[in-house]
Amino acid sequence: MSESNDHKSAAVKRARNDSGNKVAVVLGAQWGDEGKGKVVDLLATESDVVCRCQGGNNAGHTVVVDEEEYDFHLLPSGIINTKCTSFIGNGVVIHLPGLFEEIDKNEKRGLKGWDKRLVISDRAHIVFDFHQAVDGLQEVQRQAQEGQNIGTTKKGIGPTYACKASRTGLRICDLMADFGEFSTRVKNLVLQYQSMYPALKVDVESELKKLKDYAERIRPLIRDGVYFMYDAIHGPPKKILVEGANAALLDIDFGTYPFVTSSNCTVGGVCTGLGIPPANIGEVYGVSKAYTTRVGIGAFPTEQLNAVGELLQTRGHEVGVTTGRKRRCALWFYVLDEIKVGVAYKINGKRVPYFPANMEVLQKVEVEYETFPGWKTDTSAVRKWSDLPPKAQNYIRFVENRIGVPIKWVGVGKSRECMIQMF
């Protein structure tokens, strides 16, 4: 038999289901601040890779470990796990001064060896200080022209994504290449912004000097992100976790537009923000609080502008991690005699089976509630489903049946161990 025939007979059809390792995904299911950090931390203890796929340091996750509280904005929460690689993907926008400020703060709280386990995609876009200044100017302009702003965190996220979409953005790979060429492009971008915003003052030389220093600090962390993820998926078996930032109702397409963030923080953003195919998406966990909160402005039909809302803000420590702003609160909690669950919206008295896209319509909807008796018992020490008060169990089962998704964990407090695993 000839050599070529040997080669042909050895060919084996590739198995159709051989798509590689699956990634588990944790997403916010409300307006953010649901406690994603704690769920990520729980799963990260067993993960080999934890990834961020979108957003920037406009996100904030608090993780409590051994009574030490860590605040993360750009770093994946998995950075605490010394056996785990943390990856910042191409869909994330990175403010380098913010990243290093965050690293310094968490080092003071006990974070060690982060530089051995942090990887950054070379395709991630850079947030410049002037993007942050523009963010503030745009908010002032909106307020003057429309009588209301969007309520952004002024972290420069929107202007950076706008730059990305208009193909004038600069990426980490540009910073890693010829610095003279990079400097020219930065200066051109500044001139472009100053033509739109004459009040914008930029010390471009000072910003470039800082960026040159940051470039050398991050150079050892930079990888081709697409190949990094390909290798993670198709290499030896690995547990890969993706940590969403922001939340479904802040998604640029599906949220309460225009009072939203500038990225896709639903599951589609995982594929585009990391460069992985849908076939590699495994379990997807949506995180919700027992009541809803939002930071900033925008329609919020179930908002409690009353003593109940104030009570939830106080008891739930409802202040944004990134902004320090008080969170707006909706729906009732266990200290109360009754708990109401919003189950439908009515427009002109007629039930609608969807979440209205138009904000003026959403402002006017009537909310239909189901009412449950409150259990009026502290549950923070409960660790087993069977130990939860029956009224709390009924409430949880109602939510589970209503949304048509099984509930895997019930959080009863801030720290890592305050979780009831359901299955």
Side-chain angles (χ1 to χ4, degrees), residues 300-357:
F300 189 1
T302 56
E303 182 169 12
Q304 300 303 297
L305 295 169
N306 51 28
V308 171
E310 281 177 30
L311 180 135
L312 290 177
Q313 274 178 345
T314 310
R315 288 188 76 113
H317 306 289
E318 292 301 345
V319 174
V321 177
T322 300
T323 58
R325 294 182 290 191
K326 271 191 176 180
R327 295 177 187 142
R328 300 158 64 193
C329 297
L331 297 191
W332 288 256
F333 207 39
Y334 73 81
V335 291
L336 300 162
D337 293 322
E338 61 177 27
I339 297 169
K340 289 189 175 183
V341 180
V343 293
Y345 290 145
K346 287 180 179 171
I347 298 171
N348 299 325
K350 190 182 170 203
R351 237 170 176 244
V352 293
Y354 53 82
F355 190 86

Side-chain angles (χ1 to χ4, degrees), residues 133-145:
V134 165
D135 205 348
L137 289 171
Q138 286 176 341
E139 285 284 72
V140 169
Q141 203 173 68
R142 285 184 197 109
Q143 188 67 47
Q145 288 170 354

Side-chain angles (χ1 to χ4, degrees), residues 135-170:
D135 205 348
L137 289 171
Q138 286 176 341
E139 285 284 72
V140 169
Q141 203 173 68
R142 285 184 197 109
Q143 188 67 47
Q145 288 170 354
E146 298 161 34
Q148 64 176 2
N149 55 34
I150 284 171
T152 80
T153 57
K154 301 190 178 77
K155 297 287 183 185
I157 308 303
T160 306
Y161 278 117
C163 248
K164 179 177 178 174
S166 60
R167 282 92 78 201
T168 53
L170 286 136

Side-chain angles (χ1 to χ4, degrees), residues 13 27 43 63 132 163 176 238 253 259 275 284 290 365 408:
K13 181 172 168 58
L27 300 172
L43 294 170
V63 177
Q132 298 194 335
C163 248
M176 294 296 103
K238 275 192 175 74
D253 284 286
F259 305 105
V284 180
V365 295
K408 174 129 188 174

Side-chain angles (χ1 to χ4, degrees), residues 76-92:
S77 305
I79 198 79
I80 297 172
N81 180 356
T82 54
K83 299 186 184 77
C84 169
T85 301
S86 285
F87 178 57
I88 298 177
N90 59 275
V92 178

Side-chain angles (χ1 to χ4, degrees), residues 43-359:
L43 294 170
T45 55
E46 295 172 3
S47 296
D48 302 297
V49 185
V50 179
C51 315
R52 275 282 308 275
C53 62
Q54 46 67 233
N57 61 339
N58 59 331
H61 296 166
T62 304
V63 177
V64 181
V65 183
D66 300 329
E67 296 185 10
E68 188 61 72
E69 199 165 290
Y70 298 90
D71 285 343
F72 297 115
H73 302 276
L74 272 163
L75 291 172
S77 305
I79 198 79
I80 297 172
N81 180 356
T82 54
K83 299 186 184 77
C84 169
T85 301
S86 285
F87 178 57
I88 298 177
N90 59 275
V92 178
V93 291
I94 301 175
H95 182 244
L96 289 167
L99 175 65
F100 283 104
E101 186 184 324
E102 180 181 338
I103 286 165
D104 293 344
K105 270 188 188 167
N106 286 301
E107 272 187 329
K108 289 191 177 87
R109 291 170 182 174
L111 181 67
K112 293 184 180 73
W114 59 269
D115 51 327
K116 304 285 185 294
R117 50 183 194 270
L118 179 63
V119 174
I120 299 173
S121 170
D122 59 351
R123 286 176 169 82
H125 276 251
I126 298 168
V127 180
F128 294 100
D129 289 348
F130 56 80
H131 279 136
Q132 298 194 335
V134 165
D135 205 348
L137 289 171
Q138 286 176 341
E139 285 284 72
V140 169
Q141 203 173 68
R142 285 184 197 109
Q143 188 67 47
Q145 288 170 354
E146 298 161 34
Q148 64 176 2
N149 55 34
I150 284 171
T152 80
T153 57
K154 301 190 178 77
K155 297 287 183 185
I157 308 303
T160 306
Y161 278 117
C163 248
K164 179 177 178 174
S166 60
R167 282 92 78 201
T168 53
L170 286 136
R171 301 185 292 174
I172 294 290
C173 58
D174 301 314
L175 178 61
M176 294 296 103
D178 181 285
F179 195 77
E181 173 64 23
F182 176 80
S183 301
T184 303
R185 289 177 63 191
V186 171
K187 287 171 183 172
N188 288 342
L189 186 56
V190 169
L191 291 172
Q192 196 180 320
Y193 271 121
Q194 285 177 324
S195 70
M196 292 189 284
Y197 302 97
L200 180 66
K201 302 276 186 285
V202 182
D203 184 346
V204 74
E205 293 302 337
S206 166
E207 183 154 6
L208 284 168
K209 186 173 177 297
K210 283 191 286 187
L211 282 162
K212 195 166 190 179
D213 293 340
Y214 288 130
E216 294 322 304
R217 285 182 76 181
I218 65 162
R219 197 176 292 278
L221 313 174
I222 307 305
R223 302 276 186 286
D224 183 293
V226 176
Y227 183 71
F228 174 83
M229 284 309 299
Y230 176 85
D231 200 36
I233 283 167
H234 296 289
K238 275 192 175 74
K239 285 199 169 179
I240 304 168
L241 178 63
V242 181
E243 170 181 10
N246 319 112
L249 290 171
L250 294 172
D251 185 278
I252 185 82
D253 284 286
F254 305 111
T256 48
Y257 191 89
F259 305 105
V260 291
T261 194
S262 312
S263 60
N264 286 109
C265 25
T266 42
V267 75
V270 177
C271 296
T272 53
L274 293 171
I276 61 172
N280 293 99
I281 304 282
E283 298 283 345
V284 180
Y285 301 106
V287 184
S288 292
K289 273 196 290 214
Y291 52 96
T292 308
T293 64
R294 79 168 299 176
V295 164
I297 55 180
F300 189 1
T302 56
E303 182 169 12
Q304 300 303 297
L305 295 169
N306 51 28
V308 171
E310 281 177 30
L311 180 135
L312 290 177
Q313 274 178 345
T314 310
R315 288 188 76 113
H317 306 289
E318 292 301 345
V319 174
V321 177
T322 300
T323 58
R325 294 182 290 191
K326 271 191 176 180
R327 295 177 187 142
R328 300 158 64 193
C329 297
L331 297 191
W332 288 256
F333 207 39
Y334 73 81
V335 291
L336 300 162
D337 293 322
E338 61 177 27
I339 297 169
K340 289 189 175 183
V341 180
V343 293
Y345 290 145
K346 287 180 179 171
I347 298 171
N348 299 325
K350 190 182 170 203
R351 237 170 176 244
V352 293
Y354 53 82
F355 190 86
N358 182 286
M359 285 306 95

Side-chain angles (χ1 to χ4, degrees), residues 7-32:
H7 177 69
K8 279 179 188 167
S9 63
V12 177
K13 181 172 168 58
R14 184 185 173 102
R16 285 192 65 185
N17 60 358
D18 184 18
S19 60
N21 296 318
K22 302 273 192 208
V23 305
V25 182
V26 176
L27 300 172
Q30 296 162 316
W31 271 290

